[in-house]
Amino acid sequence: MEGIEPQAAGRAGQLIFVFARLDFLLSLALRNLLSTTDPECIAPLVERLGFKAKMDVLRDIVPKVFASHPSAATEYDAWYQRADRLRVTRNAFVHGRWGMQNRDTVFNAATGTGTTFSGMAKVFSLAELEVEVSTATETLNKLHEWHAKYVVDAV
C-alpha cells in the first residue's frame, strides 16, 4: 500500500469495527428485552436477523416493553432515524467494493440490490472518511447510552 491507502484502510477498519459494535449492541438489547425465561433461547433467532431487521424489531417492541416509560420509545425512535441514515453508509462500507480514485481520494462502489455490481460510487477524502467514523461513533455512543439507561436497568 502506498499514498493515503493505509490511512484510508485504517478509517474503513474503524468504521467496520463501529458497525460491528452497533450490531452487537442491537442483538444484546433484543436478547434482553424479549420475554423469555431463558434469554439464551432467543439467541438463535436474533443471530439470524440482519442489521435493519434488528433495528425494526426493537422499534416495534420498545413501546410495548417500556409502556410505563414513553421516553424510552421516543429516544429510541430519535436514535433510529439517525441510525437508518447511517445504515446506508454501513451497507456501502460492509458490502461495497473499495479502491483508490487518485492519490488523494478513495472510492467506494456500493453494491446494488442484487449480486451484480451496480456501478454506484461515492468518493471520499481522508477528511470525509474521518467524518463518517465520527458520525458512526456518535451513533454507537447514543445507542450505548440508551441501552445503559433503559435496557440494563430493565434486566
Side-chain angles (χ1 to χ4, degrees):
M1 282 195 224
E2 54 188 66
I4 68 163
E5 205 168 350
Q7 295 166 335
R11 302 299 189 295
Q14 287 176 300
L15 277 167
I16 298 302
F17 187 71
V18 169
F19 294 141
R21 290 179 61 203
L22 272 167
D23 191 72
F24 174 76
L25 198 52
L26 288 168
S27 296
L28 190 60
L30 281 170
R31 194 197 92 181
N32 289 333
L33 293 178
L34 292 170
S35 296
T36 180
T37 56
D38 181 6
E40 289 303 314
C41 290
I42 298 293
L45 171 64
V46 172
E47 289 170 6
R48 285 178 175 82
L49 297 174
F51 189 81
K52 173 84 164 99
K54 290 174 188 173
M55 289 174 50
D56 289 345
V57 170
L58 274 171
R59 192 177 198 191
D60 290 341
I61 68 168
V62 163
K64 295 169 182 71
V65 172
F66 297 108
S68 62
H69 300 288
S71 60
T74 303
E75 289 176 34
Y76 181 80
D77 195 53
W79 177 85
Y80 180 98
Q81 298 305 318
R82 180 182 195 164
D84 199 41
R85 288 188 300 275
L86 180 65
R87 186 182 56 79
V88 174
T89 301
R90 175 206 172 268
N91 288 347
F93 277 84
V94 172
H95 303 296
R97 292 151 179 91
W98 285 90
M100 298 304 297
Q101 179 74 15
N102 56 46
R103 65 185 185 99
D104 297 324
T105 58
V106 177
F107 75 90
N108 165 247
T111 57
T113 55
T115 57
T116 60
F117 181 66
S118 69
M120 297 170 30
K122 176 153 173 133
V123 176
F124 294 93
S125 66
L126 281 179
E128 290 167 325
L129 281 174
E130 191 60 45
V131 168
E132 294 293 337
V133 170
S134 178
T135 300
T137 302
E138 288 173 23
T139 304
L140 171 63
N141 290 340
K142 289 288 183 193
L143 182 60
H144 189 270
E145 289 168 13
W146 179 86
H147 186 269
K149 183 177 180 179
Y150 295 106
V151 179
V152 172
D153 287 343
V155 289

